[in-house]
Amino acid sequence: MAELRVKGVRQAFDGLTVIDGVSLTVAPGEIACLLGPSGCGKTTLFHVIAGLARPDSGTVELDGRDITGAPGNLAYMLQKDLLLPHKTIIDNVALPLVLKGEAPVAARERARGLFETFGLAGTERRWPAELSGGMRQRAALLRSYLFNQEFMLLDEPFSALDAFTKADMHRWFLEMADAFGTTALVITHDIDEAVKIADAIHVMRGAPQVGVPTRITGSVRVGCPRGERADFALSPEFLDVKRRVTELLRG
């Protein structure tokens, strides 16, 4: 488990400030969500956190270590699974280990040991095109986990799934996070999804396209234990959290 601290990050492109003064903390073992409308700068912030872009000001720290502008420290999973169509699932999943210098045979065996836990048993020799959307996302999550087991950045990982598959993935993701002590920061624009999977929700507001930089306008802690989330969506507490988040989004 790892702690992430983002401090006063500002990022501009061609004189247009996209995010300004963004600070947040993700505690060890916490699942936090970044919630905001499309185009507000969530992915820009993720690029900064992942080290793919160096901010104009501010810092990113992992367990007290400055990783600002340094890629390769955090696992980063995009909305699309990006599985390579010409590689089997086991080779797709083991790829981060191979890229780090591990022998392919050893990398496959290490990855294979987690296939059952991630609900992928029996898919090792299949091709990506043979898997359902939910199974592909599980494979992509396992690949990200093997890249870095301490901290995962997930950019709308469930948005392409149908409602039933998404609900199953939400339950599975929480179980997996508990089992492995996963720390994660998840981008979403779906309020219900954020309340269902997050321990803390950080709301981003702004309109960079018209000169209003995006900032984090507030945060809401969900409070419901992960083991009780199955019925949480039907409770008054769920509606209360959703109301508070909605108020932050509306300003």
Side-chain angles (χ1 to χ4, degrees):
M1 290 189 283
E3 180 182 66
L4 179 77
R5 288 184 180 272
V6 179
K7 300 179 179 179
V9 164
R10 177 183 179 275
Q11 181 72 298
F13 298 102
D14 298 325
L16 184 69
T17 300
V18 178
I19 53 178
D20 189 22
V22 171
S23 298
L24 64 89
T25 297
V26 183
E30 181 176 78
I31 297 174
C33 275
L34 275 179
L35 182 68
S38 297
C40 75
K42 300 185 299 294
T43 298
T44 296
L45 179 60
F46 255 36
H47 286 173
V48 170
I49 294 173
L52 302 177
R54 177 173 285 277
D56 298 313
S57 60
T59 59
V60 179
E61 296 179 1
L62 184 67
D63 284 338
R65 179 169 54 94
D66 191 339
I67 60 168
T68 310
N73 288 283
L74 304 172
Y76 185 4
M77 178 179 158
L78 301 174
Q79 179 178 348
K80 295 182 179 180
D81 58 69
L82 298 181
L83 298 177
L84 300 175
H86 61 283
K87 287 185 177 291
T88 60
I89 299 303
I90 189 72
D91 284 333
N92 264 287
V93 167
L95 186 59
L97 302 177
V98 175
L99 293 176
K100 289 182 177 182
E102 198 163 323
V105 172
R108 290 190 197 100
E109 286 307 305
R110 185 174 161 193
R112 195 187 311 276
L114 290 168
F115 263 59
E116 184 172 355
T117 302
F118 275 71
L120 292 165
T123 68
E124 291 87 344
R125 296 186 178 278
R126 293 190 181 182
W127 305 98
E130 297 178 301
L131 267 59
S132 66
M135 295 293 276
R136 289 172 65 105
Q137 290 302 93
R138 289 176 187 244
L141 280 164
L142 176 52
R143 181 181 58 190
S144 299
Y145 175 78
L146 287 172
F147 179 83
N148 186 317
Q149 300 176 15
E150 292 185 337
F151 199 102
M152 299 175 70
L153 297 171
L154 308 176
D155 190 347
E156 299 197 43
F158 312 120
S159 63
L161 304 176
D162 64 80
F164 294 105
T165 303
K166 184 184 292 190
D168 287 340
M169 286 295 292
H170 288 161
R171 286 192 293 270
W172 171 81
F173 177 66
L174 290 175
E175 291 171 0
M176 184 274 294
D178 276 342
F180 289 97
T182 300
T183 308
L185 181 59
V186 184
I187 283 180
T188 183
H189 60 264
D190 183 333
I191 300 176
D192 283 10
E193 177 171 81
V195 180
K196 288 175 183 176
I197 68 172
D199 302 309
I201 302 169
H202 305 286
V203 176
M204 298 181 71
R205 288 185 65 242
Q209 307 89 336
V210 294
V212 181
T214 292
R215 297 179 174 88
I216 291 180
T217 59
S219 301
V220 176
R221 296 207 65 83
V222 175
C224 179
R226 293 180 190 172
E228 300 175 14
R229 298 284 175 91
D231 298 321
F232 183 49
L234 303 175
S235 70
E237 291 79 10
F238 181 94
L239 295 176
D240 180 61
V241 173
K242 185 174 179 179
R243 176 187 57 77
R244 286 187 284 148
V245 171
T246 301
E247 289 173 353
L248 287 173
L249 282 168
R250 290 175 176 170

